[in-house]
Amino acid sequence: MSFHNYQSFWNDKASSVQGAMLAVDGSADEATLRATGQYSARQAIAALELQPDDHVLELGCGVGRIGREIAQRSALWHGVDIAPNMVEVARQRLADLGEDKVRLNALSRTRLDGCADASFDKAYCVAVFIHMDKEDFLLYLRELYRVLKPGGRLYFDHWNLAHPVGFERFEMEVAQYVDFDHSQRKDVARNQFTCPEEVRLFLKHAGFETALVLADAPFLQAIAVKPGGEDAAVVGKRLAADTDTIAYSPEWTRWFERVLAMLCGREHPSQILADMPPRDADKDAAIYHPWIRSLWRLNSERWGPCPD
Ligand SMILES: C[S@@+](CC[C@H](N)C(=O)[O-])C[C@H]1O[C@@H](n2cnc3c(N)ncnc32)[C@H](O)[C@@H]1O
């Protein structure tokens, strides 16, 4: 595994289809990936107030987990990613949607090469800035500003230090560095963390107006507008009325905290699944059931065989 740059890190992960799916969100199979893709897409669609004639950009599109859903509800979906192998998997997974709906290209810098100024109505970026140095986070925000039309909308997420479970997740990273040899470079794609105040500051310095920052979960979610259209305060007020769709629920956060405990060895997956309502009970159970099972199957030497 190369730790030298974003591209080699993610390209290595995506050297097989299953490796690519695992790298984007821990889904070990297509069915789990579809379920989590629909979950994340529902949030993005509401945050962006997606319209059928929208041209949409996804930065860090991975295998098209979310893009598959967005492309079916917009005029054009353009996915870009630093890893050519990810782009190739996305191309295969989305081939049935038609070439006029889907565009894909690999990036080689922190730059949206191949994307013209003011050419997109909407843009989004999920689980990508969490794997990036702050300099690149700001550079990409500037680029997103450049390629959005005036009044265009941006939605993204990031790890949230200001939430107790977000901080707990950060502590997991910190634990890896207790005996760290400073002569080695830290993994460039490691998890990184922010807080609402920093996100607002970055958005302002990239030229955006913040419409809404949802921060009551380990992932914070930001929605911003490029000036020149509807007022950000008006957009924010309207979206605030739809936070049930956009935001992570308290239940989602509760299950996420238990998954962290599972990954740290304090809980067994069978106990979490036993405590969880049935898969069809609610939208959170619908993704956690397959996701926990998929993690369990991959780690059967640790937790024993996963029952079907
Ligand atoms: C955790 S995955 C999330 C993929 C997708 N957004 C999703 O939610 O399914 C992170 C993605 O960001 C891409 N990525 C990482 N660093 C990047 C960078 N500097 N520029 C562009 N893409 C990057 C990776 O190749 C990978 O596909």
Side-chain angles (χ1 to χ4, degrees):
M1 181 69 65
S2 164
F3 290 99
H4 292 126
N5 62 60
Y6 299 121
Q7 188 167 71
S8 58
F9 178 91
W10 291 99
N11 229 18
D12 284 355
K13 295 251 178 213
S15 55
S16 69
V17 173
Q18 203 201 26
M21 294 197 306
L22 279 173
V24 296
D25 81 332
S27 293
D29 53 66
E30 181 65 30
T32 307
L33 195 78
R34 293 266 175 126
T36 68
Q38 282 158 12
Y39 187 97
S40 303
R42 190 164 45 230
Q43 295 173 315
I45 287 165
L48 296 171
E49 296 182 297
L50 191 70
Q51 303 299 318
D53 57 348
D54 277 343
H55 285 206
V56 187
L57 176 71
E58 178 172 356
L59 168 59
C61 63
V63 301
R65 181 178 73 91
I66 306 170
R68 187 171 178 83
E69 310 301 321
I70 303 292
Q72 295 177 72
R73 294 165 180 82
S74 58
L76 175 81
W77 174 83
H78 187 151
V80 295
D81 199 285
I82 201 74
N85 287 345
M86 284 285 184
V87 168
E88 200 36 52
V89 176
R91 205 182 297 287
Q92 290 164 23
R93 285 193 67 248
L94 277 57
D96 58 313
L97 300 182
E99 281 178 15
D100 53 332
K101 278 258 174 198
V102 173
R103 261 187 227 154
L104 280 154
N105 70 274
L107 305 171
S108 56
R109 298 256 185 292
T110 308
R111 241 182 8 218
L112 297 174
D113 288 339
C115 299
D117 293 2
S119 54
F120 291 98
D121 303 286
K122 311 277 165 69
Y124 67 97
C125 182
V126 172
V128 177
F129 294 140
I130 61 171
H131 294 295
M132 209 177 279
D133 290 337
K134 283 193 203 308
E135 293 83 351
D136 296 297
F137 178 26
L138 182 63
L139 286 170
Y140 269 135
L141 287 181
R142 287 187 187 152
E143 277 289 90
L144 288 161
Y145 179 90
R146 176 182 69 76
V147 304
L148 276 168
K149 295 176 185 171
R153 177 100 47 103
L154 172 64
Y155 163 71
F156 64 88
D157 67 1
H158 210 307
W159 284 123
N160 181 15
L161 277 180
H163 188 275
V165 181
F167 205 88
E168 216 178 291
R169 179 65 187 80
F170 177 53
E171 301 262 35
M172 268 175 73
E173 298 295 308
V174 173
Q176 298 174 34
Y177 295 104
V178 175
D179 293 319
F180 190 70
D181 175 357
H182 289 173
S183 66
Q184 287 185 344
R185 197 206 189 291
K186 281 183 185 154
D187 171 4
V188 71
R190 71 191 183 282
N191 283 278
Q192 308 235 26
F193 297 75
T194 187
C195 60
E197 198 180 346
E198 185 174 75
V199 163
R200 287 177 189 279
L201 203 60
F202 273 41
L203 281 168
K204 186 174 127 198
H205 284 279
F208 284 102
E209 287 173 356
T210 301
L212 190 65
V213 176
L214 296 168
D216 202 12
F219 278 116
L220 71 75
Q221 298 161 289
I223 301 146
V225 295
K226 178 170 173 171
E230 202 177 10
D231 192 71
V234 175
V235 174
K237 202 167 167 193
R238 195 167 59 241
L239 293 179
D242 196 18
T243 50
D244 279 358
T245 318
I246 304 170
Y248 291 95
S249 67
E251 289 73 36
W252 185 93
T253 296
R254 198 157 55 87
W255 298 122
F256 185 76
E257 189 172 19
R258 292 194 59 184
V259 169
L260 290 187
M262 173 183 111
L263 296 173
C264 293
R266 298 194 304 274
E267 283 236 46
H268 192 274
S270 60
Q271 191 54 53
I272 307 177
L273 289 170
D275 293 345
M276 196 174 280
R279 187 176 169 165
D280 54 6
D282 60 58
K283 65 180 184 338
D284 299 308
I287 53 160
Y288 273 109
H289 270 282
W291 193 52
I292 290 174
R293 281 173 189 280
S294 112
L295 287 173
W296 186 352
R297 270 189 218 103
L298 280 172
N299 292 284
S300 50
E301 74 297 335
R302 182 175 180 190
W303 292 310
C306 174
D308 285 333

